[in-house]
Amino acid sequence: MAERDPAPSSCDCFVALPPHTATPVVIFGKNADRPRHEVQEVVYVPAAVHQPGDKVQCTYLEIEQAERTHAVVLSRPAWLWGAEMGANEHGVCVGNEGVWTREPLGEDEALLGMDLVRLGLERGSSAREALEVMVALLERYGQGGSCKEEPVPFVYHNTFLLADRVEAWVLETAGRYWAAQQIREGSRNISNQLSIGREITAEHAGLRQRARSQGWWSGDGEFSFAEVFSLTHQPARMEAAKARYHAGKELLRQHAGHITAETFMAILRDKASGICVDSEGFRTAGSMVSVLPQDPTLPCVHFFTATPDPSRSVFKPFVFVAGLKPAPQVRSPTFRDDPAKQIPRFQSTVDRRHELYRRHQAALELMERDQEQGQKLLQTLRDLEKQGLEGMNALLAGTVAPRPEELADLFFDCVEAEMKFYT
């Protein structure tokens, strides 16, 4: 893959906490960079109570279901069960990135990193609880299986960023082994590389013994997870990720003390750094920004594009309330004989484009064909996004009382408004 597509080809994830944020909020953001023609849908799954003995079918593996699952909103590749990123009703956000480590890759089908994202959100009412859920499942079931809807397997380990209204956590994995770092203030980003050094808050019970038994660590001096478990010769895509990681870190530093949702949207749209990617093989397939107020009386607001390339997409707000109106315009079709579910997998292809994706794609073609018309359309879309942001900022500032019936229709209405501009 690296040979065909030398461009940076995976994701970036960001979090900012006071005092780096402009107001007392935690802000989470992520670009999901995926194979160019993959469709990302935005899915709402309500909270549920399950019966003892119930199972849940993840992308490849069936596991025990939890007694209760929280309501979640997910941005996910349409062919799989898990998610690249998402949030739950308790204001927890999780996103993942692919990494390659000294631990061998498991091509056997196990849990995908994206399954762990969804499982953490469905079962964790705080970032810490989500992390505990994820590491317990990782240790029990392992991670593995192809992360691309293609016959040739594409396998990686995962690093995760988790956030809630109070704190954030970085969770990095190598096979079934893991290390986690708690973030209480400031800002942090992750890319496709291990980044937890000596500042480990929690770890797999056998982590250091594993490193010693493999001859990766002598047991002397301080233990650095990134130094010990990173590959000595990085694949090209991880070398490219280093530049993105440093660029992201620098963008966060430049805005420290003034970071808002708009700041994160601008960072996710940054093409010069490679954070927003649009290359032959990979592109940013979906983007998310969440604002998590530290005041528990204020709602959390989550913005999703549901379309590729955030520099030419609209961030649309979503708020968890009762009676949410479904948004079928961003749901992909389902298929009776889905090639992702047949064994052997991925032997044929199906058209997973949802309605918003189709219309957005046609609009992008217009933008490329007719520069002047394209600029006009882009400006119209930016104005639509600005309206949504202004409304949400007023809600978060407490200057406007939330109206549950309006919030229930909010995401649907924003998607509908965007679609009208495309026709």
Side-chain angles (χ1 to χ4, degrees):
M1 191 200 78
E3 287 66 35
R4 279 205 322 270
D5 186 23
S9 57
S10 227
C11 322
D12 291 273
C13 206
F14 302 85
V15 69
L17 303 89
H20 282 194
T21 49
T23 55
V25 297
V26 174
I27 304 176
F28 172 94
K30 174 169 155 67
N31 271 353
D33 298 349
R34 299 287 304 166
R36 182 166 187 84
H37 299 294
E38 189 179 79
V39 177
Q40 202 138 129
E41 60 179 355
V42 174
V43 184
Y44 167 72
V45 185
V49 177
H50 307 280
Q51 298 305 310
D54 278 0
K55 306 278 189 190
V56 56
Q57 179 63 54
C58 303
T59 304
Y60 301 128
L61 217 59
E62 187 182 71
I63 67 168
E64 286 78 15
Q65 182 56 285
E67 188 186 333
R68 291 173 174 274
T69 48
H70 308 307
V72 295
V73 60
L74 309 168
S75 186
R76 70 174 188 192
W79 61 272
L80 51 74
W81 181 83
E84 275 279 306
M85 52 202 170
N88 72 21
E89 60 187 308
H90 301 289
V92 180
C93 298
V94 187
N96 79 307
E97 324 286 331
V99 287
W100 291 263
T101 73
R102 280 175 135 166
E103 282 295 325
L105 291 167
E107 288 202 11
D108 290 346
E109 292 184 346
L111 290 175
L112 292 181
M114 291 172 275
D115 294 337
L116 289 167
V117 168
R118 178 168 176 177
L119 290 162
L121 289 169
E122 287 192 341
R123 301 178 183 198
S125 57
S126 66
R128 183 190 292 254
E129 195 177 7
L131 181 136
E132 288 166 358
V133 164
M134 290 160 69
V135 297
L137 291 167
L138 175 71
E139 288 183 23
R140 183 170 177 189
Y141 296 104
Q143 57 182 324
S146 186
C147 302
K148 274 209 302 193
E149 195 181 10
E150 290 174 11
V152 178
F154 177 59
V155 186
Y156 48 75
H157 294 157
N158 291 268
T159 169
F160 304 87
L161 190 59
L162 304 90
D164 59 25
R165 293 175 185 263
V166 178
E167 63 182 9
W169 287 80
V170 176
L171 167 62
E172 299 193 330
T173 72
R176 290 178 195 241
Y177 297 92
W178 59 272
Q181 177 192 2
Q182 185 179 33
I183 316 288
R184 290 186 175 278
E185 58 177 29
S187 46
R188 181 76 154 81
N189 61 314
I190 59 170
S191 202
N192 306 99
Q193 56 177 48
L194 299 180
S195 62
I196 297 176
R198 293 165 179 78
E199 55 294 327
I200 298 171
T201 314
E203 64 188 71
H204 183 288
L207 182 71
R208 296 179 195 220
Q209 184 49 44
R210 173 68 173 170
R212 288 182 73 164
S213 71
Q214 297 299 302
W216 301 336
W217 181 57
S218 67
D220 297 330
E222 281 193 283
F223 177 85
S224 162
F225 182 69
E227 280 173 28
V228 171
F229 277 85
S230 289
L231 289 163
T232 28
H233 300 293
Q234 305 276 350
R237 66 180 79 91
M238 283 183 83
E239 284 297 328
K242 277 185 194 170
R244 286 205 326 276
Y245 174 72
H246 289 300
K249 202 170 176 180
E250 176 57 21
L251 287 165
L252 289 172
R253 190 197 63 75
Q254 286 172 15
H255 296 284
H258 313 285
I259 294 174
T260 62
E262 291 90 330
T263 314
F264 267 30
M265 289 174 189
I267 290 173
L268 296 180
R269 286 171 166 146
D270 193 295
K271 289 205 165 170
S273 62
I275 289 166
C276 177
V277 63
D278 189 5
S279 67
E280 196 182 325
F282 263 63
R283 70 171 165 188
T284 301
S287 305
M288 169 184 174
V289 171
S290 292
V291 184
L292 318 172
Q294 294 197 312
D295 178 349
T297 65
L298 295 171
C300 296
V301 180
H302 312 282
F303 295 88
F304 294 94
T305 58
T307 52
D309 189 351
S311 72
R312 300 189 288 182
S313 286
V314 180
F315 282 94
K316 297 164 281 291
F318 174 99
V319 178
F320 284 94
V321 283
L324 269 166
K325 188 172 187 178
Q329 317 96 314
V330 293
R331 289 295 304 260
S332 294
T334 53
F335 301 91
R336 201 185 56 180
D337 299 318
D338 194 317
K341 296 183 172 68
Q342 308 291 313
I343 308 284
R345 299 186 197 274
F346 314 127
Q347 299 303 298
S348 60
T349 56
V350 288
D351 187 352
R352 299 192 189 275
R353 292 175 300 164
H354 49 70
E355 190 56 36
L356 180 67
Y357 186 102
R358 287 172 182 275
R359 295 207 196 175
H360 181 260
Q361 209 172 27
L364 288 192
E365 284 165 14
L366 166 73
M367 284 182 191
E368 274 149 23
R369 231 178 21 249
D370 184 335
Q371 291 276 305
E372 195 181 332
Q373 277 297 100
Q375 276 307 111
K376 274 187 193 164
L377 177 60
L378 194 57
Q379 191 52 54
T380 305
L381 296 177
R382 284 283 180 279
D383 291 344
L384 177 66
E385 182 179 280
K386 195 176 167 202
Q387 276 177 13
L389 273 161
E390 283 169 357
M392 291 304 98
N393 286 339
L395 185 68
L396 292 166
T399 53
V400 169
R403 298 169 106 177
E405 64 284 0
E406 283 181 15
L407 293 178
D409 295 352
L410 179 65
F411 186 70
F412 175 95
D413 289 347
C414 290
V415 172
E416 207 45 28
E418 181 182 349
M419 284 178 56
K420 280 190 183 132
F421 287 122
Y422 294 145
T423 50

